[in-house]
Amino acid sequence: GPTSVCVGSTITLSDATPGGTWASGSTGIATIGSSSGVAAGVSPGTSAITYRLPTGCLITTTITVLSTPGPITGSMTVCTGFTTTLSDAISGGTWTSSAPGTATVGTGTGVVTGVIPGTTVITYTLSTGCFRVATVTVNPSPGAITGPTSVCVGSTITVSDATVGGTWVSSNPGVATVGSASGIVTGVSAGGVVISYVMPTGCAATYSIIVNALPASIAGLFNVCVGATTTLVSSGSGTWTSSAPGTAVVGASSGIVTGMSPGTATITYTLPTGCLTTATVTVYANPAPITGPTSLCVGTS
């Protein structure tokens, strides 16, 4: 029979002469069934195995008990397209996967990469042939997130994912919040934020969004007479537009508003990012023309 066994494993010894009894000289290293010849490794070392006939005649052999790798440690779940690293306290072994189509493993690194959903047995084998196994589950990752990639402070956008059952999370609610079930992102302050769509398994898809600042509130005089002008100002290099050019026109780059006819117009200042601010300008009618004499004598009225 074999001359070595791993700790925690068994081998079977046999003798062509029937009727004998098996015994181990060091049961702390290896035990053996008295009638079966099945030897079990207990701890590293060597033990003399004896096969004794009823007459007292016997024969012995020595078996070596080899160290088994320690328990495999690390996360036993991984998402498709992602990795998890497994390790063992005993170095020098080789990693293999029972189903490389489900998950691969680096032979010398223990880095497991999820390929498709399912399970695979990862084996860590020492040069002696002793090994340890662990089952790794590969969970599906959600699909790619779609939607706009920017939002203005105070405004909202909606992002979505084709995979159902997940929850939306913001990496920085101080920059942007997101409805956990709706995917509605609200800009809070200027900056970058990562929006994640997380499945119950922990598998997630991520999406980067830029939150753009609003221009400064429009300042200036918001009343103007027909035919007169007022100048409005804001911040940045934006463009001015009027909601009612028949009431008031505005220079696209100057912010100079000219009254055209009585009424109100919404003046909008828009930055290249699309973020904007508005103000309402009221245009007043001029009084009727002044009538009366155009000359008088000194001392008269």
Side-chain angles (χ1 to χ4, degrees):
T3 58
S4 64
V5 62
C6 300
V7 171
S9 297
T10 63
I11 57 174
T12 301
L13 304 180
S14 62
D15 193 283
T17 307
T21 302
W22 297 92
S24 170
S26 301
T27 55
I29 294 176
T31 62
I32 190 166
S34 62
S35 60
S36 65
V38 176
V42 177
S43 64
T46 59
S47 177
I49 301 297
T50 301
Y51 183 68
R52 184 186 301 271
L53 295 176
T55 60
C57 297
L58 57 86
I59 192 168
T60 61
T61 188
T62 299
I63 63 170
T64 301
V65 179
L66 304 169
S67 296
T68 297
I72 295 173
T73 58
S75 176
M76 300 304 166
T77 60
V78 65
C79 304
T80 55
F82 290 85
T83 63
T84 182
T85 300
L86 304 182
S87 59
D88 195 282
I90 299 179
S91 61
T94 302
W95 299 90
T96 56
S97 170
S98 66
T102 299
T104 61
V105 63
T107 57
T109 63
V111 176
V112 179
T113 303
V115 179
I116 62 172
T119 59
T120 184
V121 175
I122 302 297
T123 303
Y124 182 67
T125 307
L126 298 178
S127 58
T128 58
C130 296
F131 62 88
R132 182 79 70 159
V133 299
T135 299
V136 171
T137 300
V138 181
N139 293 312
S141 294
I145 297 171
T146 58
T149 57
S150 64
V151 62
C152 300
V153 170
S155 296
T156 64
I157 57 173
T158 300
V159 293
S160 60
D161 195 287
T163 308
V164 298
T167 302
W168 296 95
V169 179
S170 169
S171 66
N172 190 345
V175 173
T177 62
V178 63
S180 61
S182 65
I184 297 175
V185 179
T186 302
V188 177
S189 64
V193 66
V194 175
I195 301 298
S196 299
Y197 184 67
V198 185
M199 303 302 293
T201 59
C203 295
T206 59
Y207 196 65
S208 295
I209 290 176
I210 298 298
V211 180
N212 294 308
L214 295 175
S217 297
I218 296 172
L221 184 64
F222 301 117
N223 300 320
V224 65
C225 298
V226 172
T229 63
T230 182
T231 300
L232 305 181
V233 295
S234 185
S235 60
S237 301
T239 302
W240 298 91
T241 56
S242 171
S243 66
T247 300
V249 295
V250 62
S253 59
S254 67
I256 299 174
V257 179
T258 303
M260 304 299 290
S261 64
T264 59
T266 299
I267 304 300
T268 302
Y269 182 69
T270 307
L271 295 176
T273 60
C275 298
L276 55 86
T277 186
T278 63
T280 300
V281 170
T282 301
V283 180
Y284 293 112
N286 290 314
I290 297 172
T291 59
T294 59
S295 65
L296 73 163
C297 297
V298 173
T300 65
S301 64

